[in-house]
């Protein structure tokens, strides 16, 4: 399985953009990049995913480098409710399910 | 409107006493997953069902079993809980596999304490 590397923690001021980086230098051609977040004492929540093109939805934007070895999750206007652990996951297709192997993630603290 | 429902939210059991955690879904998804999350750690996949096909992770202890009697329900059975099994247990579902179909929806989890 491809592995990911994320900074353990980041701070962001409320209202500013939060840019969360992720390295996945051993990603394979058919592997997707997924981002999930986990707010304290809740189950993980899907944010966004991509294969090679940049993606945007109502929650965030995902920027994937051309060589696919790294990506950045962008929360355009962070709020206090975005304080959570953010997981970048590279998921292979395994035949019966695509596993999510969670790494240590980035703990994002949004402050006033 | 909860789509993946786990009951109970908190479960206390005694050392060695079998315990069952339950998960139900209203999404009609094919795949259901069970994860274990210990304190300050990331979730770890225990096993999953693709429809009725059970898929165990290689390092999941034999103490952990699962049942999926129908599409909507999935159970996690811990036959003889040890102190090391105290954790949050997360259930998730996905419509199918690959790309967008593999987006997983998680329940709120059941926090298991072993006394």
């Amino acid at each position: 399985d491809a592995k990911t590397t994320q900074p353990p923690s980041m701070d962001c001021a409320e209202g500013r953009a939060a840019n969360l980086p992720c390295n996945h230098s051993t990603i394979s051609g058919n592997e997707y990049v997924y981002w999930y977040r986990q707010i304290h004492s809740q189950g993980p929540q899907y944010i966004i995913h991509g294969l090679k093109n940049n993606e945007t939805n109502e929650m965030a934007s995902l920027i994937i480098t051309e060589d696919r070895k790294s990506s950045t999750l962008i929360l355009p206007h962070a709020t206090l409710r975005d304080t959570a652990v953010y997981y970048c996951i590279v998921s292979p297709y395994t035949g019966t399910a695509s596993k999510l192997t969670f790494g240590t993630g980035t703990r994002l603290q949004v402050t006033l | 409107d909860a789509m993946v429902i786990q009951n109970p939210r908190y479960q206390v059991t005694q050392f060695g006493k079998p315990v069952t955690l339950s998960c139900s879904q209203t999404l009609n998804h094919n795949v259901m997953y069970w994860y274990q999350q210990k304190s300050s750690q990331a979730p770890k996949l225990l096993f999953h069902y693709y429809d009725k096909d059970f898929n165990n992770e290689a390092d999941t202890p034999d103490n952990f079993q699962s049942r999926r009697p129908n599409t909507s329900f999935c159970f996690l059975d811990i036959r003889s809980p040890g102190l090391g099994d105290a954790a949050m247990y997360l259930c998730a579902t996905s419509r199918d596999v690959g790309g967008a179909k593999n987006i997983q929806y998680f329940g709120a989890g059941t926090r298991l304490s072993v006394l």
Side-chain angles (χ1 to χ4, degrees), chain A residues 34 36 38 93 96-98 103, chain B residues 37 42 48 50 57 97 99 102 104:
Chain A
Y34 294 84
Y36 284 75
Q38 188 172 24
Y93 177 83
T96 57
S98 299
Chain B
Q37 185 174 25
H48 71 272
Y50 184 92
E57 292 300 297
V97 300
N102 185 46
Q104 294 190 19

Side-chain angles (χ1 to χ4, degrees), chain A residues 87-98:
Chain A
Y87 295 101
C88 168
I89 302 165
V90 173
S91 179
Y93 177 83
T94 60
T96 57
S98 299

Side-chain angles (χ1 to χ4, degrees), chain A residues 5-6 8 16 32 38-39 49 56 71-72 75 80 83 88 90:
Chain A
T5 304
Q6 300 178 252
R16 304 297 294 269
Y32 289 79
Q38 188 172 24
I39 295 170
H49 78 283
T56 296
S71 61
T72 301
L75 308 178
L80 297 177
T83 293
C88 168
V90 173

